[in-house]
Amino acid sequence: MLVTTDASLATHAQVRLLSKGYLVVCITRSDEVLNTVYDDPPDMMVVDLSTGNDGSAEMIASLRGDSFFSAIPIIGLVKPCDAGAFEWENCPLDDFIQLPLDYNELFCRISLALFRIKRIFDNNPLTRLPGNTSIQRAIEESMGKPLAVCYLDINCFKPYNDVYGFGRGDEVIRMLGRIIFNAVRESGGGFCGHVGGDDFVAIVPMERAEVVCQTVIAYFDRIVLDLFDEETKARGYYNGINRKGAMDQIPLLSVSIGVVPTDSPHLRHAAKVAEVAADLKAQAKDSKKSCYIMDRRRG
């Protein structure tokens, strides 16, 4: 959506944006903007703020105060003398471009803003790690290469959440996310994503997969002890509700990992990776302690 009272700017900008494949709705009255946004929310807004007295700043502040529309990226067009003295708190833009308009700069800023919003929406808000869209793409790109997809989750996480509360549960998830991220980074780099809940994915070169798994387990098993009091640690369990809904002795938290080489001949589709990894992870849980299992089939 392009918002400007300048008819010449509206015409030229609309033609240039259309030439780049963008669908453009041009609004010349700021009092019409909110109704248009409410009827059909745009992917992005470019707002001409050069006149300074048409209510555009108030319109932007209103959108930012609405939880549903606040995420729409907004780029402001300002006069050169405005940029340094702008009260950004009262006019919360994502970006700005000085007039006269440089269209190459506008196209770059639009692309960057769209990439940014896509990245932000995909990242998990708890761990800030890439989410399912990025994970799926990373797995697809890893197919046929000498890489390993590691699926991880926490054993007995739900009973812990039920007994110790969501706040403590979120703390455990953040902690595991940070441990995985650091283990991947320290091993030489790779991909680390958060599927959701207590499920994570790491993708690393095959020759480093076992080291990463061992590092994650070592750090997790060491740090997780701080989440329990001395009596519980010594006992090795706490009382909670098990999966069958019955009171039971719940073991201390541990982590299970299924490791799938993405160059295995029997894996021809990314979806199969998740299926194999889930099966391996389930086998790892049978050990009742932190454990990783690797798919070693080569035919």
Side-chain angles (χ1 to χ4, degrees):
M1 176 183 289
L2 173 63
V3 181
T4 179
T5 57
D6 185 331
S8 176
L9 175 63
T11 300
H12 285 95
Q14 192 167 19
V15 169
R16 297 295 296 269
L17 288 166
L18 286 169
S19 73
K20 288 291 182 180
Y22 296 109
L23 296 176
V24 184
V25 173
C26 195
I27 308 290
T28 55
R29 290 180 49 183
S30 59
D31 60 347
E32 295 178 348
V33 174
L34 291 180
N35 285 336
T36 307
V37 171
Y38 296 155
D39 286 342
D40 186 13
D43 295 325
M44 168 174 290
M45 298 175 67
V46 178
V47 182
D48 180 7
L49 297 164
S50 61
T51 61
N53 58 359
D54 62 353
S56 292
E58 292 78 4
M59 176 269 295
I60 292 170
S62 178
L63 287 174
R64 288 293 188 242
D66 188 309
S67 59
F68 189 78
F69 300 105
S70 61
I72 297 174
I74 303 177
I75 297 176
L77 307 181
V78 303
K79 292 185 292 188
C81 60
D82 286 340
F86 229 88
E87 295 183 10
W88 302 114
E89 189 173 346
N90 296 327
C91 187
L93 299 170
D94 294 283
D95 202 352
F96 70 90
I97 302 175
Q98 295 185 349
L99 295 169
L101 201 51
D102 179 330
Y103 284 100
N104 287 328
E105 182 181 9
L106 175 63
F107 299 147
C108 289
R109 298 292 180 91
I110 289 174
S111 295
L112 290 171
L114 291 173
F115 286 141
R116 185 165 55 243
I117 199 70
K118 187 176 178 182
R119 191 171 60 244
I120 290 170
F121 271 118
D122 188 44
N123 283 14
N124 187 284
L126 185 60
T127 59
R128 302 192 177 182
L129 292 173
N132 287 325
T133 301
S134 299
I135 291 170
Q136 182 64 27
R137 184 168 56 247
I139 293 175
E140 289 172 355
E141 291 174 353
S142 71
M143 295 302 293
K145 300 176 182 175
L147 299 170
V149 175
C150 308
Y151 270 62
L152 310 90
D153 77 2
I154 301 170
N155 302 328
C156 302
F157 178 71
K158 186 179 183 307
Y160 180 86
N161 228 14
D162 293 341
V163 172
Y164 292 93
F166 290 110
R168 291 279 291 275
D170 286 351
E171 184 183 344
V172 174
I173 289 174
R174 278 194 294 268
M175 179 186 77
L176 179 57
R178 180 54 58 182
I179 288 173
I180 298 168
F181 177 84
N182 286 337
V184 170
R185 181 172 55 83
E186 290 168 6
S187 76
F191 174 86
C192 183
H194 185 179
V195 177
D198 61 324
D199 290 299
F200 292 84
V201 168
I203 302 176
V204 295
M206 188 58 214
E207 70 272 16
R208 291 195 261 118
E210 290 196 75
V211 171
V212 169
C213 292
Q214 291 163 1
T215 302
V216 169
I217 288 172
Y219 283 143
F220 186 85
D221 285 353
R222 188 187 315 159
I223 296 173
V224 81
L225 293 177
D226 294 336
L227 301 171
F228 299 95
D229 58 40
E230 294 300 324
E231 184 180 345
T232 302
K233 280 192 287 187
R235 197 170 54 230
Y237 69 85
Y238 58 93
N239 294 318
I241 304 297
N242 63 22
R243 291 188 171 210
K244 298 179 180 177
M247 184 61 71
D248 199 356
Q249 296 177 351
I250 308 297
L252 305 187
L253 296 172
S254 54
V255 62
S256 291
I257 311 173
V259 184
V260 182
T262 51
D263 62 351
S264 292
H266 66 282
L267 291 175
R268 294 184 174 85
H269 193 280
K272 186 68 176 177
V273 174
E275 181 183 325
V276 174
D279 181 56
L280 294 172
K281 195 154 57 71
Q283 294 178 41
K285 286 182 178 297
D286 290 339
S287 73
K288 309 296 183 185
K289 61 181 182 180
S290 290
C291 176
Y292 69 91
I293 294 181
M294 185 172 295
D295 182 14
R296 299 187 186 278
R297 294 172 295 172
R298 305 304 295 177

